Amino acid sequence: MAERFLVGAGVGSGVAHGKAFVLARPEAALAQISKPGNRVGMVAIQNAMQSVAEDLENITTVGDAKDVMVALAMILRDPVLFQEVKAHLSEGSEAAEAIRRAFARFARKLESLGGYFAERASDLGYLANRVITELAGEQPEIKFPDEPFVLVTESISPMDASKLDPERVLAVITSDGTPTSHSAIIIRAAKLPMVVGLIGAGLIRTGVDLLVDASSGQVVLEPSTERIERYRVAANLDTHLIKVIEDDREAPVLLLANLGSSFEASAAIASGAKGVGLFRTELLYLGQLVPPTLEEQYEEYSRLLRAFKGKRVLVRVLDLDFDKPLPFLKETGSGNYANRGLQVLLANPEVLLTQLAALALAQQANPETEMWVMAPMVLNVAEAQEFAEFARKSGIKNVGVMIEVPEVTQSDVIDGILQVVDFISIGTNDLTHYALGKSRHTAGDGAVSGTISLAETRKPEVMSLIERVVAAAKRANKPVGVCGEAAGDPESARAFIALGVDSLSASSALLPQLKAALLAG
Ligand code: PEP
Ligand code: MG
């Protein structure tokens, strides 16, 4: 089976490789007992909420975890929450639905309060699960695999998170949740790699081979042996990590990190990254019915820029992909590139302008960080120019585009683009696919498929395009970097350096290994 990439928000750092074990939602068990004629009533729900609250209060744990349990028990005992459940039951909802809807509404209320309360909102999903499980009563005991496994679940309660056995659980993946939830705090403290809010987590089945990279928020399904080996070497370097990072010698080019969330910043800094070469902003938008507000975006970008004070941070504006449709975006384009990249943003200028405004504000608030902003998958000079005008009018100083399709590597096109932007970055993942005439997608199942191998990026028909792009950037005297997967592979990286790239950006988990390999020559 081909490799596939899924992306979420990484929590902490670390990489794990193992088979998935998928935990199902408790709804199925509850459905058995909430059939017509056997309805679960208000008293049963109230008792279940109280009983879970008691469990949380009585759990023997200390420190942060104890505070978390007590805070959650208080939420469950809040009469307003039970009133919400009652209201949904009287409107005719089934028990599980009433609980989920009431808890979700309560979460939104917490979110609107902002700050600490907003961060706690994501725990309401776990609480709903716990109450539903309690109502469903005795369940067949879950048979965990004998071998260590990667736990894949919709959400995990802080209580369950605190009970995870690091000898058995290699990593945790959730489809819901945020990096600041109580569970994430507990799992990070246990030094287990975690990725939350994974888009497309529903595609993972028990037994599927997974590579979880918490430092970049990426999960690779059925990773190639070449990729596993690369990460294995990186993990084995762990003990030498400090030595590599503290090695005064600089790598021959700037080594930057690829991030998908500001919460991955500390792992990147610990890995010796000189800054960020690709900040993917999709996580802010995916799964939303409306675009994130200027304030929400400002908070995330400011947190990112703060973490990289004195360094360069290259943010990419929203990169829509057809497998991740967003209800608030008008579709556009046709053919291979339909509904992908910059053209979608240009067709939805209000979304682009809000993002640019949030970025400009974050830069103003963090003047000591050098923010660069780029657009994904530009298709021609006119698009690059339009984006550059929007960005500069919004107050962005360093404006660039990603080179990801073969058409724009034609000399006249790339020269034209370089006249209107300040820098370019080569996205080898997409460029390799398109140059070799392969689709990056597997039709129908909605997954982004990373079916290229790193060796394919090194094929002459791809390398000749990259060579042309780098040469054009040199002629124009503008910085050029590579931020696709191949940038983290020493053999490919050496080839890019030989062509003259100025920076390479990769998962921070791979950076120490990359630096060591490049210094070794
Ligand atoms: C790329 O295409 O190489 C790239 C870095 O962008 P993404 O993987 O996010 O499409
Ligand atoms: Mg791309």
Side-chain angles (χ1 to χ4, degrees):
M1 191 182 162
E3 288 188 310
R4 287 179 180 174
F5 290 93
L6 300 177
V7 67
V11 175
S13 59
V15 174
H17 171 227
K19 300 273 184 235
F21 178 72
V22 182
L23 261 188
R25 279 177 139 207
E27 251 84 343
L30 188 59
Q32 296 297 316
I33 59 164
S34 66
K35 283 192 197 117
N38 190 14
R39 282 181 63 87
V40 177
M42 293 181 202
V43 177
I45 295 180
Q46 192 170 28
N47 287 342
M49 287 169 70
Q50 296 305 327
S51 158
V52 175
E54 273 165 32
D55 281 355
L56 290 166
E57 284 157 349
N58 292 335
I59 192 163
T60 43
T61 180
V62 286
D64 276 2
K66 180 75 195 166
D67 296 345
V68 168
M69 305 307 163
V70 171
L72 294 184
M74 272 172 68
I75 291 176
L76 280 175
R77 292 191 191 284
D78 191 324
V80 176
L81 181 56
F82 182 59
Q83 289 308 325
E84 291 275 359
V85 178
K86 259 167 77 176
H88 286 294
L89 279 177
S90 352
E91 283 164 13
S93 295
E94 287 294 340
E97 190 194 348
I99 292 167
R100 288 218 181 275
R101 292 173 72 173
F103 280 47
R105 176 125 193 249
F106 199 81
R108 284 197 293 279
K109 277 190 196 155
L110 288 181
E111 264 167 20
S112 66
L113 295 173
Y116 177 82
F117 293 105
E119 289 181 1
R120 300 289 68 85
S122 57
D123 293 322
L124 267 286
Y126 316 136
L127 286 183
N129 266 344
R130 287 273 309 157
V131 173
I132 294 170
T133 309
E134 178 75 20
L135 269 177
E138 281 297 308
Q139 303 220 13
E141 209 178 310
I142 299 165
K143 172 90 181 77
F144 287 103
D146 296 333
E147 293 296 308
F149 57 91
V150 176
L151 181 65
V152 183
T153 174
E154 183 182 86
S155 57
I156 182 165
S157 74
M159 188 155 66
D160 291 339
S162 67
K163 288 195 220 148
L164 290 175
D165 174 3
E167 301 283 309
R168 310 273 314 279
V169 180
L170 300 167
V172 179
I173 294 173
T174 64
S175 53
D176 288 355
T178 65
T180 51
S181 69
H182 284 136
S183 308
I185 292 167
I186 291 167
I187 291 172
R188 183 191 293 128
K191 298 207 170 4
L192 274 177
M194 182 182 201
V195 175
V196 299
L198 187 76
I199 314 293
L203 294 165
I204 304 175
R205 301 277 172 263
T206 291
V208 162
D209 203 34
L210 297 178
L211 185 75
V212 184
D213 178 357
S215 65
S216 67
Q218 271 198 339
V219 174
V220 188
L221 280 67
E222 303 292 359
S224 66
T225 39
E226 185 189 11
R227 187 177 308 281
I228 295 166
E229 178 60 14
R230 218 152 47 99
Y231 274 93
R232 197 189 58 74
V233 173
N236 282 348
L237 266 177
D238 245 1
T239 40
H240 310 292
L241 194 86
I242 304 297
K243 228 173 86 205
V244 175
I245 294 168
E246 286 181 350
D247 189 326
D248 289 343
R249 288 177 300 156
E250 292 292 341
V253 290
L254 210 52
L255 297 186
L256 307 167
N258 286 356
L259 306 186
S261 148
S262 62
F263 294 97
E264 293 157 11
S266 52
I269 289 164
S271 75
K274 297 286 178 195
V276 178
L278 171 63
F279 183 71
R280 293 183 168 101
T281 56
E282 288 75 53
L283 273 187
L284 285 163
Y285 296 80
L286 291 168
Q288 305 294 331
L289 294 175
V290 291
T293 62
L294 185 126
E295 291 73 24
E296 282 163 354
Q297 294 190 55
Y298 169 77
E299 221 176 274
E300 170 72 346
Y301 305 145
S302 292
R303 195 165 34 230
L304 175 74
L305 296 188
R306 248 193 329 274
F308 287 93
K309 196 166 160 186
K311 297 191 167 74
R312 179 196 304 173
V313 171
L314 204 164
V315 180
R316 178 178 74 188
V317 294
L318 175 62
D319 184 11
L320 184 80
D321 221 332
F322 88 90
D323 62 308
K324 309 168 215 153
L326 293 171
F328 48 86
L329 286 184
K330 247 198 331 263
E331 301 193 347
T332 188
S334 58
N336 253 353
Y337 310 128
N339 295 319
R340 288 221 58 193
L342 175 57
Q343 59 175 341
V344 184
L345 287 179
L346 295 176
N348 293 272
E350 60 303 334
V351 174
L352 175 60
L353 285 171
T354 307
Q355 185 168 28
L356 291 171
L359 284 165
L361 281 172
Q363 171 73 94
Q364 263 174 33
N366 298 277
E368 289 174 58
T369 308
E370 189 183 318
M371 186 182 71
W372 294 18
V373 176
M374 67 179 175
M377 200 173 280
V378 62
L379 298 180
N380 51 52
V381 181
E383 272 189 15
Q385 176 141 26
E386 202 179 338
F387 173 70
E389 278 165 16
F390 271 132
R392 293 201 180 103
K393 273 196 197 128
S394 304
I396 309 288
K397 290 207 180 62
N398 303 297
V399 183
V401 290
M402 282 187 78
I403 304 301
E404 304 189 85
V405 303
E407 288 83 344
V408 300
T409 67
Q410 297 299 325
S411 292
D412 53 335
V413 184
I414 189 70
D415 287 343
I417 288 175
L418 281 156
Q419 276 176 21
V420 297
V421 297
D422 303 307
F423 68 92
I424 54 172
S425 180
I426 305 173
T428 47
N429 303 341
D430 277 305
L431 186 61
T432 306
H433 278 101
Y434 289 120
L436 299 178
K438 291 188 174 185
S439 163
R440 192 169 168 185
H441 302 91
T442 311
D445 63 4
V448 174
S449 139
T451 50
I452 44 158
S453 72
L454 297 164
E456 282 181 292
T457 298
R458 294 194 296 267
K459 280 186 171 169
E461 50 271 54
V462 184
M463 286 306 282
S464 62
L465 304 185
I466 297 173
E467 184 174 8
R468 199 155 63 203
V469 171
V470 177
K474 297 279 128 193
R475 274 198 307 278
N477 205 16
K478 305 249 165 112
V480 52
V482 175
C483 64
E485 291 291 312
D489 164 52
E491 195 176 336
S492 311
R494 281 191 205 99
F496 299 143
I497 292 169
L499 294 179
V501 301
D502 303 295
S503 63
L504 296 169
S505 192
S507 160
S508 22
L510 297 174
L511 288 181
Q513 169 200 10
L514 181 61
K515 179 176 173 185
L518 294 179
L519 284 177

